Amino acid sequence: MCTYLTEKFRIDGAAKGASGWFTVTDGMVYVDHPYHATQEHTVNIDLANPSEGPSARVAIELTEEGALALVEAIHKALAAAPPGLASAARRSASASASASA
Amino acid sequence: MTHAMWAGTVAVTGHEGAELEAYAARPLDSGPHGGVVVIHHMPGYDEATKEIVRKFAAHGYAAVCPNLYSREGAGVSPDDQAAAARAKGGVPDEQLVGDVAGAAAYLKGLEHANGKVGVIGYCSGGRQTFLAACSLQIDAAVDCYGAFVVTPPPAEFSLKAAPLISLAGKLSCPLLGLFGADDTHPSPEEVGVLSAELDKLGKEHKFQIFPDAGHGFFATDRSSYRPAAAVEGWKKVFGFFGRHLTA
């Protein structure tokens, strides 16, 4: 079946696509038919920057197990790092600190 | 029929004069040929859909598949175009009708055209085939497992697709519907509701629900492919278009 269901979220970071690195602003997750993977359905993740056009996109098509393993690995990696180390708030805080110095 | 064909990328004029990329194929003999507009599925204007276009040419039809996501940018790969279109909730219905009208006009303008045009679509294209057949003067339509014709998408789906059953009275041509018994979008129950509505309205239609098949049973490049249903389904498609699109 086609689920059509698309979870969208704002994101802040960078990704490497077909034409090199770009800033990512938008994420989408949907469980649907893949474009390239050979499974009937996959968890499809897009990291994109629509302001730079449709080609500014990194696409991932994972099995359910693969997607959950990715989620778990992200949680483990974050848990092992000092809290807030990779937070967007930390970057804003250091930027305002250097501005006031 | 010599079985020789031409196939390649062409431009067609779609909704509100937009120039659309399209993939066309046609026999090289002198015809006359019926025309078939192929509506691609939600993953987009892909290799498998282009192969379907060539299949129609091999069977004596001039066929064209407009890239419904052309507006996402020229030179952008079809998968990126599809992702961008999905993020916007898919193709608006009004735009789809204009794009299919443009593709049908392209076919009617070809040398050796017999003036008849059918439409076929898969998955979301199945729903769009029904929409086109209720909105335009078409000679025959084939809906392959189109969802959300009878029931709306669940509220959490960010898809701009309203049910179309209220348009059934405007169906302009005979309709062939090919569905899988194991499909949930559309379910066999939904197919039954549509069939009953068309019966009530006196609209010519023939629906077939294939056992041991789910959504996407025609898709040879996917694990949903079911050879028994697909082989029988193609026979029905060519029989149906043969009756309604030949001069």
Side-chain angles (χ1 to χ4, degrees):
Chain A
M1 62 172 283
C2 301
T3 68
Y4 300 105
L5 176 61
T6 305
E7 294 289 340
K8 293 186 201 174
F9 51 98
R10 297 287 292 172
I11 197 166
D12 182 6
K16 194 171 184 182
S19 51
W21 284 94
F22 62 99
T23 299
V24 290
T25 57
D26 291 66
M28 286 201 297
V29 177
Y30 45 102
V31 180
D32 212 330
H33 305 301
Y35 195 89
H36 187 82
T38 52
Q39 287 83 8
E40 193 168 337
H41 295 94
T42 48
V43 180
N44 304 322
I45 305 170
D46 289 344
L47 303 178
N49 186 338
S51 71
E52 290 190 14
S55 300
R57 181 176 79 110
V58 169
I60 306 169
E61 297 172 338
L62 301 172
T63 61
E64 194 171 311
E65 293 79 6
L68 291 173
L70 173 64
V71 170
E72 193 183 334
I74 290 171
H75 280 297
K76 276 189 184 168
L78 284 173
L85 186 66
S87 167
R90 185 181 175 92
R91 188 178 64 184
S92 313
S94 55
S96 50
S98 55
S100 58
Chain B
M1 198 168 150
T2 63
H3 299 285
M5 73 166 81
W6 178 90
T9 302
V10 298
V12 304
T13 304
H15 184 61
E16 294 183 333
E19 184 175 303
L20 308 180
E21 179 185 15
Y23 186 76
R26 56 182 162 77
L28 285 175
D29 63 53
S30 56
H33 308 125
V36 178
V37 178
V38 178
I39 305 182
H40 61 69
H41 57 169
M42 201 160 173
Y45 177 73
D46 57 7
E47 286 303 316
T49 310
K50 290 176 180 174
E51 197 171 310
I52 289 170
V53 172
R54 291 192 295 271
K55 189 176 181 83
F56 280 110
H59 282 256
Y61 297 90
V64 66
C65 173
N67 180 356
L68 303 176
Y69 305 149
S70 292
R71 294 167 182 83
E72 303 306 331
V76 174
S77 69
D79 58 323
D80 287 339
Q81 289 178 326
R86 166 186 279 272
K88 294 172 187 167
V91 172
D93 283 349
E94 187 187 321
Q95 181 179 303
L96 179 280
V97 172
D99 288 356
V100 173
Y106 164 83
L107 291 172
K108 286 187 175 181
L110 289 175
E111 196 183 357
H112 309 308
N114 71 0
K116 296 193 174 179
V117 171
V119 178
I120 186 168
Y122 304 81
C123 187
S124 56
R127 175 185 175 278
Q128 291 166 331
T129 292
F130 186 78
L131 173 67
C134 293
S135 309
L136 302 168
Q137 193 56 51
I138 300 285
D139 297 294
V142 183
D143 166 6
C144 301
Y145 34 80
F148 312 129
V149 172
V150 171
T151 51
E156 67 272 21
F157 286 21
S158 54
L159 182 74
K160 291 177 200 147
L164 302 172
I165 195 162
S166 61
L167 301 180
K170 296 179 182 167
L171 183 63
S172 66
C173 62
L175 174 69
L176 175 67
L178 303 173
F179 307 97
D182 302 334
D183 201 347
T184 50
H185 290 88
S187 66
E189 292 72 29
E190 286 173 81
V191 172
V193 170
L194 181 59
S195 185
E197 179 69 10
L198 293 171
D199 279 339
K200 197 174 84 185
L201 294 165
K203 295 290 182 183
E204 184 180 345
H205 68 288
K206 172 84 178 152
F207 287 179
Q208 172 111 17
I209 300 176
F210 293 96
D212 303 317
H215 198 78
F217 62 79
F218 275 116
T220 53
D221 60 338
R222 293 173 185 267
S223 52
S224 57
Y225 181 55
R226 293 293 177 274
V231 168
E232 187 59 26
W234 275 118
K235 238 196 295 189
K236 293 199 174 299
V237 168
F238 286 115
F240 179 74
F241 278 163
R243 287 192 296 280
H244 297 291
L245 299 183
T246 49

